[in-house]
Amino acid sequence: MNNTENNLCKGRVSAIYKNSYVIRFEGKDISARLKGTFQEKAPELFPVVGDYVSFVNNLIGDSLIVAVEDRTSFLQRPDQAKTGVMQYMVANVDYTLIVTSLNEDYSYNRIARYVSVVLQGNSIPVVVLTKSDLCNNYGRYVREVESISDKVRVHAISALYGIGVDELYEYMRPGVTLCLMGSSGAGKSTLLNAFAGEEIMKTSEVRESDSTGRHTTTYRQLIELENGVSIIDTPGMRELGMANTELGIDNTFSDILALEQCCKFSDCKHDTEPGCAVKAAIESGELSAERYILYKSLSAENTNNYAKKKEISKWAKAAKKLKRDNYRF
């Protein structure tokens, strides 16, 4: 082991700006860049916000990130261009707070997508229904979201009036990392300010035309609170595609998978086959047709996008090899 490796420091990525990284180290933020060997690694091995990294500390310039530590969780999604290429979001998150306001922003379909992505990434999904003061019967929405999966936790709150916010303090334990996800204007920044007990994130008014707000958060950033809790705030996402999320979808819809195991035929298509447990559950009301359709839709989207991703990855590796071979000669 050389002298540089003996002097490695351990820190946590708190923000990323293009090719520049910010590392939280001993209560301070320091700028850093990647060691050149990262260019030979797969994209998912590059640091993301929340990653713990080993780095060479430079007191007079950019420090050098040399390795990413093992992750306990890793959240990803297809890029917005819908090419199947993955966008790697955050790592080492204990609870992911899926923030949705109880106005036109509310979408059962989108929440189910978030839950699948979070479960796939090995984090615990917590749906936070904000602005409950604007809803006459928010209990109906709580029950509806609870039906998405038995692995999801649901809270209806009003951060403006402090209603229900105390329920979320069970997640606010020293050493715990939370991630806030949701649409722009859903109330993520307001919730973060409530957690911090002060205004550390600016908020903006919500447009009446579509119940969405201006993007107050434009990049992912990790914030450490005085009580030892770390919170990663993320930009608003109105769309969330499926790719490489099979396990997350299966965990979200585990009840449907259990029913499929009870079908008379192992290759049952749940269409016209006799002895179909899925059809029987829909007919009896045990399973809603809408929930089954959503499951099939997300599964099909995941399969198609993942196939596209693998094809793109194959061509990217070939191009990289060609470039490396040409460089040698």
Side-chain angles (χ1 to χ4, degrees):
M1 183 177 292
N2 60 40
N3 189 53
T4 299
E5 291 173 328
N6 279 323
N7 295 323
L8 287 181
C9 299
K10 305 286 185 180
R12 194 174 193 187
V13 177
S14 61
I16 301 174
Y17 309 97
K18 293 186 178 179
N19 297 323
S20 176
Y21 294 77
V22 179
I23 299 176
R24 184 68 46 78
F25 177 63
E26 295 184 346
K28 297 180 180 179
D29 285 331
I30 60 176
S31 60
R33 57 184 175 84
L34 294 179
K35 188 176 180 179
T37 52
F38 271 94
Q39 300 307 316
E40 300 298 321
K41 296 183 179 182
E44 61 266 26
L45 299 180
F46 280 48
V48 298
V49 174
D51 264 325
Y52 293 97
V53 295
S54 299
F55 68 99
V56 179
N57 196 9
N58 185 352
L59 300 179
I60 59 175
D62 285 344
S63 295
L64 188 67
I65 298 174
V66 301
V68 175
E69 303 297 308
D70 291 341
R71 295 159 169 158
T72 59
S73 64
F74 184 47
L75 273 58
Q76 55 184 310
R77 67 164 180 164
D79 72 342
Q80 291 175 302
K82 298 181 180 180
T83 60
V85 175
M86 300 303 290
Q87 182 183 93
Y88 307 105
M89 298 186 289
V90 297
N92 301 309
V93 172
D94 299 296
Y95 300 99
T96 300
L97 274 55
I98 303 164
V99 184
T100 300
S101 57
L102 289 170
N103 53 21
E104 283 76 3
D105 176 63
Y106 177 86
S107 168
Y108 179 90
N109 183 306
R110 191 190 315 125
I111 295 173
R113 289 169 176 268
Y114 272 112
V115 169
S116 297
V117 166
V118 172
L119 289 174
Q120 177 73 34
N122 200 35
S123 180
I124 298 174
V126 180
V127 176
V128 181
L129 302 173
T130 64
K131 305 179 184 178
S132 63
D133 56 292
L134 301 180
C135 183
N136 292 328
N137 184 15
Y138 61 78
R140 177 176 72 87
Y141 293 99
V142 170
R143 292 188 293 272
E144 185 173 78
V145 175
E146 287 177 337
S147 73
I148 291 176
S149 171
D150 59 1
K151 299 173 182 63
V152 68
R153 307 180 184 189
V154 189
H155 302 273
I157 72 164
S158 171
L160 182 63
Y161 295 102
I163 302 172
V165 177
D166 56 331
E167 296 178 11
L168 302 178
Y169 289 130
E170 66 173 286
Y171 310 112
M172 304 285 288
R173 302 187 301 275
V176 167
T177 297
L178 309 178
C179 178
L180 302 180
M181 288 188 174
S183 302
S184 178
K188 298 190 301 297
S189 295
T190 301
L191 184 58
L192 178 53
N193 291 338
F195 285 154
E198 60 179 314
E199 186 173 3
I200 57 177
M201 293 295 295
K202 291 184 178 180
T203 58
S204 59
E205 294 297 324
V206 172
R207 293 191 298 265
E208 293 183 2
S209 58
D210 58 4
S211 296
T212 61
R214 300 178 182 87
H215 293 276
T216 54
T217 301
T218 57
Y219 57 92
R220 300 178 191 95
Q221 56 185 316
L222 183 145
I223 298 167
E224 291 182 347
L225 303 184
E226 292 183 0
N227 59 5
V229 175
S230 296
I231 299 180
I232 300 177
D233 193 20
T234 65
M237 295 184 291
R238 289 196 65 80
E239 293 187 17
L240 190 66
M242 297 284 102
N244 196 22
T245 323
E246 182 178 358
L247 180 60
I249 293 174
D250 287 351
N251 282 334
T252 302
F253 298 91
S254 57
D255 56 325
I256 296 179
L257 266 67
L259 285 171
E260 289 179 331
Q261 297 300 315
C262 298
C263 289
K264 182 177 181 179
F265 300 104
S266 59
D267 61 346
C268 183
K269 303 300 181 184
H270 320 305
D271 186 13
T272 59
E273 297 88 346
C276 175
V278 172
K279 286 196 304 179
I282 293 175
E283 291 171 1
S284 69
E286 177 187 349
L287 171 67
S288 72
E290 292 79 10
R291 177 173 172 78
Y292 178 65
I293 291 171
L294 177 59
Y295 163 67
K296 296 296 290 183
S297 173
L298 295 186
S299 297
E301 181 182 335
N302 178 70
T303 299
N304 293 336
N305 280 341
Y306 188 54
K308 191 183 298 181
K309 173 187 179 299
K310 289 200 296 185
E311 187 68 19
I312 293 172
S313 178
K314 182 181 73 173
W315 285 107
K317 288 180 180 178
K320 197 170 188 178
K321 182 178 183 300
L322 180 62
K323 182 179 179 180
R324 186 169 57 246
D325 291 346
N326 288 339
Y327 178 78
R328 289 172 180 169
F329 293 100

